[in-house]
Amino acid sequence: MSTENNVRIKAENVHFYYGDKMAIKDMSMNFYDEKVTAFIGPSGCGKSTFIRMLNKMNDLVPHTRAEGSIHFDGENILEKGVDVVKIRRKVGMVFQKPNPFPKTIFQNISYGLEVNGEKNKKVIAQAVEESLVRAALWNEVKDRLHDNALRLSGGQQQRLCIARCLAVAPDVILFDEPCASLDPISTNKIEELILDLKKNYTIVIVTHNMQQAARVSDYTAFMYLGELIEFNSTDKMFTVPREKKTEEYLSGKFG
C-alpha cells in the first residue's frame, strides 16, 4: 500500500446532499500520486457524484451541500471561499461523452491556455503539439489542425478532450466513464493512454466495466447506495474481496 507521503487527495467523512436526499454517506479514502484509482458499483450508487466533488463540479448544481473535508494541496476544497477556477485547473475532467468545442482541433487546445493568459503564439503552438502527442493523437491530426474538431471520430474526439485537459497542466485527471460511448478499439487506446499518463498524474476513473477497472487501476473503490463498501489495491479487491457485498457485485449477483 502506498505511504502517506504520496497522498495527493485525502477525503475524510464526506457527506453530500441533493436537497434533503443524502447521495454520499461518510466517505473516507486517499488518492495517491502516479496511481489510478477506479470507482465501480451499480448505476446511481454515487460514483460520479463523488468524483465531481474532487473538482467542485457539483457546485454548479443548485440545492446541494457537502460536509466533511477533501484536502488537496494543503486546503480543504469543500470550505467556502476556495478558488474554484484554481481547483479546476489543477483537477481536470474528461466526461462520458466526448465534448469538443465546435472549433478547430488547434483552438480546442489553445483555448484553455489563452483563457489563462498565455499570449505567446510559439508557446501555444508548442503546448498544442505536446498535448496532442501525450494524448496519442498527434500523428492522426497533425496535418489537419485547422479542421473542425467535430469531424473527428468519437474515439479521436475523446483523446482530443484529454489533450485539452493536459494542455493546462493539471495535477489530477478525473475520467467519468470515458469509454462508455466508444468502440472496443478506441476503448483500448484510451486505456493504454491512461496507463501511460499515470506516470505523471494522479488519475481517478469511474467505470461500469469491471474488466476495465482490473486492467487500468492500482486501487479500486466499490460503492453501493452512496457508501464506500470497500477500498483496496485492485489485485486484492478482485481476488480476495473483504466484504460479502463486494464479492456479490464482482460475481455478478447484482448491479
Side-chain angles (χ1 to χ4, degrees), residues 8 72 86-93 131 134 162-174 200-202:
R8 171 56 78 172
F72 173 60
K86 187 179 87 173
I87 298 295
R88 291 191 192 136
R89 195 177 298 150
K90 289 184 169 186
V91 185
M93 189 155 192
S131 302
R134 291 169 93 176
I162 294 169
R164 187 174 69 192
C165 175
L166 297 176
V168 294
D171 296 320
V172 179
I173 306 174
L174 311 175
N200 299 294
Y201 302 91
T202 299

mmCIF file of all heavy atoms in Angstrom, residues 8 72 86-93 131 134 162-174 200-202:
data_model
loop_
_atom_site.group_PDB
_atom_site.id
_atom_site.type_symbol
_atom_site.label_atom_id
_atom_site.label_comp_id
_atom_site.label_asym_id
_atom_site.label_seq_id
_atom_site.Cartn_x
_atom_site.Cartn_y
_atom_site.Cartn_z
ATOM 1 N N ARG A 8 -2.145 12.358 -2.680
ATOM 2 C CA ARG A 8 -2.393 13.607 -3.410
ATOM 3 C C ARG A 8 -3.687 14.268 -2.934
ATOM 4 O O ARG A 8 -3.777 15.475 -2.791
ATOM 5 C CB ARG A 8 -2.451 13.291 -4.908
ATOM 6 C CG ARG A 8 -2.897 14.392 -5.801
ATOM 7 C CD ARG A 8 -2.079 15.654 -5.677
ATOM 8 N NE ARG A 8 -0.810 15.574 -6.371
ATOM 9 C CZ ARG A 8 0.000 16.627 -6.516
ATOM 10 N NH1 ARG A 8 -0.350 17.791 -6.018
ATOM 11 N NH2 ARG A 8 1.148 16.508 -7.133
ATOM 12 N N PHE A 72 -6.629 18.880 -0.597
ATOM 13 C CA PHE A 72 -5.838 18.862 -1.835
ATOM 14 C C PHE A 72 -4.899 20.059 -1.797
ATOM 15 O O PHE A 72 -5.340 21.185 -1.581
ATOM 16 C CB PHE A 72 -6.771 18.930 -3.047
ATOM 17 C CG PHE A 72 -6.065 19.087 -4.364
ATOM 18 C CD1 PHE A 72 -5.162 18.128 -4.793
ATOM 19 C CD2 PHE A 72 -6.294 20.187 -5.174
ATOM 20 C CE1 PHE A 72 -4.499 18.268 -6.008
ATOM 21 C CE2 PHE A 72 -5.644 20.336 -6.389
ATOM 22 C CZ PHE A 72 -4.742 19.375 -6.805
ATOM 23 N N LYS A 86 -8.998 27.795 -9.762
ATOM 24 C CA LYS A 86 -7.679 27.191 -9.495
ATOM 25 C C LYS A 86 -7.814 25.678 -9.311
ATOM 26 O O LYS A 86 -7.018 24.900 -9.838
ATOM 27 C CB LYS A 86 -7.049 27.820 -8.247
ATOM 28 C CG LYS A 86 -5.623 27.381 -7.996
ATOM 29 C CD LYS A 86 -5.041 28.049 -6.766
ATOM 30 C CE LYS A 86 -5.372 27.249 -5.521
ATOM 31 N NZ LYS A 86 -4.713 27.737 -4.311
ATOM 32 N N ILE A 87 -8.842 25.255 -8.577
ATOM 33 C CA ILE A 87 -9.059 23.819 -8.343
ATOM 34 C C ILE A 87 -9.297 23.105 -9.671
ATOM 35 O O ILE A 87 -8.708 22.062 -9.953
ATOM 36 C CB ILE A 87 -10.274 23.578 -7.408
ATOM 37 C CG1 ILE A 87 -10.043 24.194 -6.027
ATOM 38 C CG2 ILE A 87 -10.576 22.076 -7.287
ATOM 39 C CD1 ILE A 87 -8.927 23.596 -5.229
ATOM 40 N N ARG A 88 -10.145 23.685 -10.519
ATOM 41 C CA ARG A 88 -10.489 23.008 -11.782
ATOM 42 C C ARG A 88 -9.330 23.018 -12.760
ATOM 43 O O ARG A 88 -9.267 22.190 -13.658
ATOM 44 C CB ARG A 88 -11.744 23.643 -12.398
ATOM 45 C CG ARG A 88 -12.974 23.326 -11.558
ATOM 46 C CD ARG A 88 -14.268 23.685 -12.233
ATOM 47 N NE ARG A 88 -15.349 23.616 -11.247
ATOM 48 C CZ ARG A 88 -16.306 24.507 -11.114
ATOM 49 N NH1 ARG A 88 -16.354 25.547 -11.921
ATOM 50 N NH2 ARG A 88 -17.228 24.374 -10.183
ATOM 51 N N ARG A 89 -8.417 23.977 -12.599
ATOM 52 C CA ARG A 89 -7.221 23.978 -13.446
ATOM 53 C C ARG A 89 -6.299 22.834 -13.036
ATOM 54 O O ARG A 89 -5.654 22.210 -13.864
ATOM 55 C CB ARG A 89 -6.498 25.318 -13.291
ATOM 56 C CG ARG A 89 -5.463 25.587 -14.377
ATOM 57 C CD ARG A 89 -4.844 26.958 -14.196
ATOM 58 N NE ARG A 89 -5.829 28.019 -14.310
ATOM 59 C CZ ARG A 89 -5.742 29.194 -13.669
ATOM 60 N NH1 ARG A 89 -4.742 29.442 -12.868
ATOM 61 N NH2 ARG A 89 -6.660 30.109 -13.846
ATOM 62 N N LYS A 90 -6.252 22.562 -11.732
ATOM 63 C CA LYS A 90 -5.354 21.524 -11.217
ATOM 64 C C LYS A 90 -5.985 20.132 -11.272
ATOM 65 O O LYS A 90 -5.285 19.130 -11.259
ATOM 66 C CB LYS A 90 -4.957 21.838 -9.765
ATOM 67 C CG LYS A 90 -4.023 23.025 -9.644
ATOM 68 C CD LYS A 90 -3.610 23.181 -8.196
ATOM 69 C CE LYS A 90 -2.479 24.182 -8.057
ATOM 70 N NZ LYS A 90 -1.982 24.220 -6.672
ATOM 71 N N VAL A 91 -7.309 20.095 -11.271
ATOM 72 C CA VAL A 91 -8.028 18.816 -11.312
ATOM 73 C C VAL A 91 -8.892 18.812 -12.570
ATOM 74 O O VAL A 91 -10.023 19.296 -12.573
ATOM 75 C CB VAL A 91 -8.895 18.613 -10.045
ATOM 76 C CG1 VAL A 91 -9.540 17.225 -10.064
ATOM 77 C CG2 VAL A 91 -8.069 18.795 -8.783
ATOM 78 N N GLY A 92 -8.343 18.272 -13.661
ATOM 79 C CA GLY A 92 -9.048 18.250 -14.943
ATOM 80 C C GLY A 92 -10.058 17.118 -14.992
ATOM 81 O O GLY A 92 -10.000 16.174 -14.203
ATOM 82 N N MET A 93 -11.001 17.224 -15.928
ATOM 83 C CA MET A 93 -12.031 16.189 -16.012
ATOM 84 C C MET A 93 -12.348 15.851 -17.461
ATOM 85 O O MET A 93 -12.447 16.727 -18.321
ATOM 86 C CB MET A 93 -13.304 16.665 -15.307
ATOM 87 C CG MET A 93 -14.345 15.575 -15.165
ATOM 88 S SD MET A 93 -15.435 15.909 -13.774
ATOM 89 C CE MET A 93 -16.280 14.328 -13.645
ATOM 90 N N SER A 131 0.552 18.434 -26.119
ATOM 91 C CA SER A 131 -0.675 17.850 -25.549
ATOM 92 C C SER A 131 -1.234 16.763 -26.453
ATOM 93 O O SER A 131 -1.675 15.711 -25.984
ATOM 94 C CB SER A 131 -1.729 18.940 -25.317
ATOM 95 O OG SER A 131 -1.225 19.932 -24.454
ATOM 96 N N ARG A 134 0.975 13.677 -26.173
ATOM 97 C CA ARG A 134 0.734 12.942 -24.923
ATOM 98 C C ARG A 134 -0.614 12.230 -24.932
ATOM 99 O O ARG A 134 -0.788 11.216 -24.278
ATOM 100 C CB ARG A 134 0.838 13.889 -23.731
ATOM 101 C CG ARG A 134 2.261 14.356 -23.512
ATOM 102 C CD ARG A 134 2.324 15.480 -22.535
ATOM 103 N NE ARG A 134 2.546 14.979 -21.194
ATOM 104 C CZ ARG A 134 2.714 15.777 -20.139
ATOM 105 N NH1 ARG A 134 2.661 17.069 -20.282
ATOM 106 N NH2 ARG A 134 2.915 15.259 -18.944
ATOM 107 N N ILE A 162 -8.967 14.794 -23.850
ATOM 108 C CA ILE A 162 -7.871 14.510 -22.912
ATOM 109 C C ILE A 162 -6.712 15.469 -23.175
ATOM 110 O O ILE A 162 -6.141 16.039 -22.239
ATOM 111 C CB ILE A 162 -7.432 13.030 -23.035
ATOM 112 C CG1 ILE A 162 -8.563 12.107 -22.565
ATOM 113 C CG2 ILE A 162 -6.162 12.779 -22.211
ATOM 114 C CD1 ILE A 162 -8.344 10.631 -22.878
ATOM 115 N N ALA A 163 -6.387 15.697 -24.449
ATOM 116 C CA ALA A 163 -5.314 16.648 -24.796
ATOM 117 C C ALA A 163 -5.657 18.048 -24.294
ATOM 118 O O ALA A 163 -4.799 18.772 -23.771
ATOM 119 C CB ALA A 163 -5.103 16.669 -26.309
ATOM 120 N N ARG A 164 -6.908 18.431 -24.443
ATOM 121 C CA ARG A 164 -7.369 19.752 -23.967
ATOM 122 C C ARG A 164 -7.173 19.884 -22.465
ATOM 123 O O ARG A 164 -6.760 20.925 -21.956
ATOM 124 C CB ARG A 164 -8.855 19.908 -24.337
ATOM 125 C CG ARG A 164 -9.442 21.274 -24.075
ATOM 126 C CD ARG A 164 -10.860 21.351 -24.607
ATOM 127 N NE ARG A 164 -11.790 20.534 -23.846
ATOM 128 C CZ ARG A 164 -13.023 20.244 -24.234
ATOM 129 N NH1 ARG A 164 -13.466 20.662 -25.400
ATOM 130 N NH2 ARG A 164 -13.813 19.498 -23.482
ATOM 131 N N CYS A 165 -7.450 18.807 -21.774
ATOM 132 C CA CYS A 165 -7.266 18.763 -20.319
ATOM 133 C C CYS A 165 -5.781 18.873 -19.964
ATOM 134 O O CYS A 165 -5.390 19.622 -19.064
ATOM 135 C CB CYS A 165 -7.874 17.458 -19.798
ATOM 136 S SG CYS A 165 -7.630 17.140 -18.067
ATOM 137 N N LEU A 166 -4.927 18.146 -20.693
ATOM 138 C CA LEU A 166 -3.487 18.130 -20.400
ATOM 139 C C LEU A 166 -2.827 19.484 -20.654
ATOM 140 O O LEU A 166 -1.846 19.837 -20.000
ATOM 141 C CB LEU A 166 -2.783 17.071 -21.251
ATOM 142 C CG LEU A 166 -3.177 15.609 -21.032
ATOM 143 C CD1 LEU A 166 -2.454 14.717 -22.026
ATOM 144 C CD2 LEU A 166 -2.878 15.177 -19.607
ATOM 145 N N ALA A 167 -3.361 20.243 -21.598
ATOM 146 C CA ALA A 167 -2.724 21.493 -22.023
ATOM 147 C C ALA A 167 -2.573 22.492 -20.885
ATOM 148 O O ALA A 167 -1.623 23.276 -20.859
ATOM 149 C CB ALA A 167 -3.513 22.118 -23.175
ATOM 150 N N VAL A 168 -3.498 22.484 -19.930
ATOM 151 C CA VAL A 168 -3.429 23.462 -18.834
ATOM 152 C C VAL A 168 -2.671 22.908 -17.619
ATOM 153 O O VAL A 168 -2.716 23.471 -16.532
ATOM 154 C CB VAL A 168 -4.834 23.965 -18.427
ATOM 155 C CG1 VAL A 168 -5.453 24.766 -19.561
ATOM 156 C CG2 VAL A 168 -5.764 22.806 -18.044
ATOM 157 N N ALA A 169 -1.968 21.796 -17.827
ATOM 158 C CA ALA A 169 -1.052 21.215 -16.824
ATOM 159 C C ALA A 169 -1.723 20.931 -15.479
ATOM 160 O O ALA A 169 -1.353 21.489 -14.448
ATOM 161 C CB ALA A 169 0.153 22.141 -16.635
ATOM 162 N N PRO A 170 -2.709 20.024 -15.463
ATOM 163 C CA PRO A 170 -3.324 19.647 -14.183
ATOM 164 C C PRO A 170 -2.411 18.716 -13.390
ATOM 165 O O PRO A 170 -1.407 18.219 -13.908
ATOM 166 C CB PRO A 170 -4.592 18.898 -14.624
ATOM 167 C CG PRO A 170 -4.190 18.253 -15.917
ATOM 168 C CD PRO A 170 -3.251 19.222 -16.578
ATOM 169 N N ASP A 171 -2.737 18.494 -12.121
ATOM 170 C CA ASP A 171 -2.040 17.501 -11.302
ATOM 171 C C ASP A 171 -2.832 16.193 -11.256
ATOM 172 O O ASP A 171 -2.279 15.115 -11.068
ATOM 173 C CB ASP A 171 -1.869 18.009 -9.863
ATOM 174 C CG ASP A 171 -0.984 19.234 -9.793
ATOM 175 O OD1 ASP A 171 0.024 19.263 -10.515
ATOM 176 O OD2 ASP A 171 -1.309 20.167 -9.040
ATOM 177 N N VAL A 172 -4.156 16.337 -11.386
ATOM 178 C CA VAL A 172 -5.083 15.202 -11.245
ATOM 179 C C VAL A 172 -6.001 15.197 -12.466
ATOM 180 O O VAL A 172 -6.415 16.262 -12.930
ATOM 181 C CB VAL A 172 -5.930 15.357 -9.959
ATOM 182 C CG1 VAL A 172 -6.915 14.198 -9.806
ATOM 183 C CG2 VAL A 172 -5.041 15.488 -8.727
ATOM 184 N N ILE A 173 -6.306 13.996 -12.976
ATOM 185 C CA ILE A 173 -7.281 13.895 -14.067
ATOM 186 C C ILE A 173 -8.392 12.935 -13.646
ATOM 187 O O ILE A 173 -8.128 11.800 -13.236
ATOM 188 C CB ILE A 173 -6.640 13.388 -15.372
ATOM 189 C CG1 ILE A 173 -5.431 14.252 -15.759
ATOM 190 C CG2 ILE A 173 -7.669 13.421 -16.503
ATOM 191 C CD1 ILE A 173 -4.664 13.731 -16.960
ATOM 192 N N LEU A 174 -9.624 13.419 -13.749
ATOM 193 C CA LEU A 174 -10.803 12.615 -13.443
ATOM 194 C C LEU A 174 -11.420 12.139 -14.759
ATOM 195 O O LEU A 174 -11.649 12.933 -15.663
ATOM 196 C CB LEU A 174 -11.838 13.452 -12.676
ATOM 197 C CG LEU A 174 -11.340 14.264 -11.476
ATOM 198 C CD1 LEU A 174 -12.472 15.126 -10.918
ATOM 199 C CD2 LEU A 174 -10.783 13.344 -10.394
ATOM 200 N N ASN A 200 2.736 10.473 -14.713
ATOM 201 C CA ASN A 200 2.878 11.894 -14.379
ATOM 202 C C ASN A 200 1.691 12.510 -13.644
ATOM 203 O O ASN A 200 1.771 13.663 -13.233
ATOM 204 C CB ASN A 200 3.102 12.707 -15.662
ATOM 205 C CG ASN A 200 4.364 12.285 -16.391
ATOM 206 O OD1 ASN A 200 5.459 12.472 -15.883
ATOM 207 N ND2 ASN A 200 4.210 11.700 -17.569
ATOM 208 N N TYR A 201 0.608 11.749 -13.515
ATOM 209 C CA TYR A 201 -0.600 12.326 -12.933
ATOM 210 C C TYR A 201 -1.229 11.365 -11.919
ATOM 211 O O TYR A 201 -1.007 10.160 -11.974
ATOM 212 C CB TYR A 201 -1.657 12.603 -14.023
ATOM 213 C CG TYR A 201 -1.179 13.514 -15.117
ATOM 214 C CD1 TYR A 201 -0.581 12.985 -16.266
ATOM 215 C CD2 TYR A 201 -1.299 14.890 -15.014
ATOM 216 C CE1 TYR A 201 -0.124 13.816 -17.283
ATOM 217 C CE2 TYR A 201 -0.835 15.732 -16.022
ATOM 218 C CZ TYR A 201 -0.247 15.190 -17.147
ATOM 219 O OH TYR A 201 0.208 16.003 -18.144
ATOM 220 N N THR A 202 -2.040 11.943 -11.042
ATOM 221 C CA THR A 202 -2.952 11.150 -10.222
ATOM 222 C C THR A 202 -4.226 11.005 -11.046
ATOM 223 O O THR A 202 -4.776 11.998 -11.521
ATOM 224 C CB THR A 202 -3.269 11.884 -8.908
ATOM 225 O OG1 THR A 202 -2.053 12.072 -8.188
ATOM 226 C CG2 THR A 202 -4.249 11.097 -8.053
#
